[in-house]
Amino acid sequence: MGEIIGEWSVGKYTVLELSQDLPNKVYKKYRIDGKYYDSVPVYDLPRSIAIEGKGDFVGKTVEFL
């Protein structure tokens, strides 16, 4: 799990900056505020993930599933 500390939109995606490093386990989905999102590859952005969707995610927790 990690707290979302920043976000920005890129087309239909939202990039989320996390307060800690990504886990070293295999994951295919994220759960944020009870809603599930498919993982979207993000390259060269440390501590960042992306989702297809919009919203206000700062301050929420992300779980890696």
Side-chain angles (χ1 to χ4, degrees):
M1 282 198 218
E3 183 180 349
I4 300 167
I5 59 172
E7 69 181 37
W8 63 95
S9 293
V10 180
K12 65 180 181 178
Y13 301 101
T14 300
V15 178
L16 306 171
E17 182 183 3
L18 306 180
S19 61
Q20 58 190 30
D21 291 333
L22 302 179
N24 288 327
K25 68 177 189 173
V26 176
Y27 54 87
K28 294 189 179 196
K29 292 192 177 287
Y30 312 119
R31 182 170 50 209
I32 304 169
D33 206 25
K35 188 171 179 184
Y36 293 86
Y37 299 91
D38 292 327
S39 63
V40 176
V42 176
Y43 304 102
D44 298 328
L45 290 174
R47 295 184 175 178
S48 297
I49 62 172
I51 60 168
E52 186 174 337
K54 306 284 184 205
D56 183 19
F57 299 101
V58 173
K60 295 183 180 173
T61 301
V62 60
E63 296 177 70
F64 296 86
L65 308 170

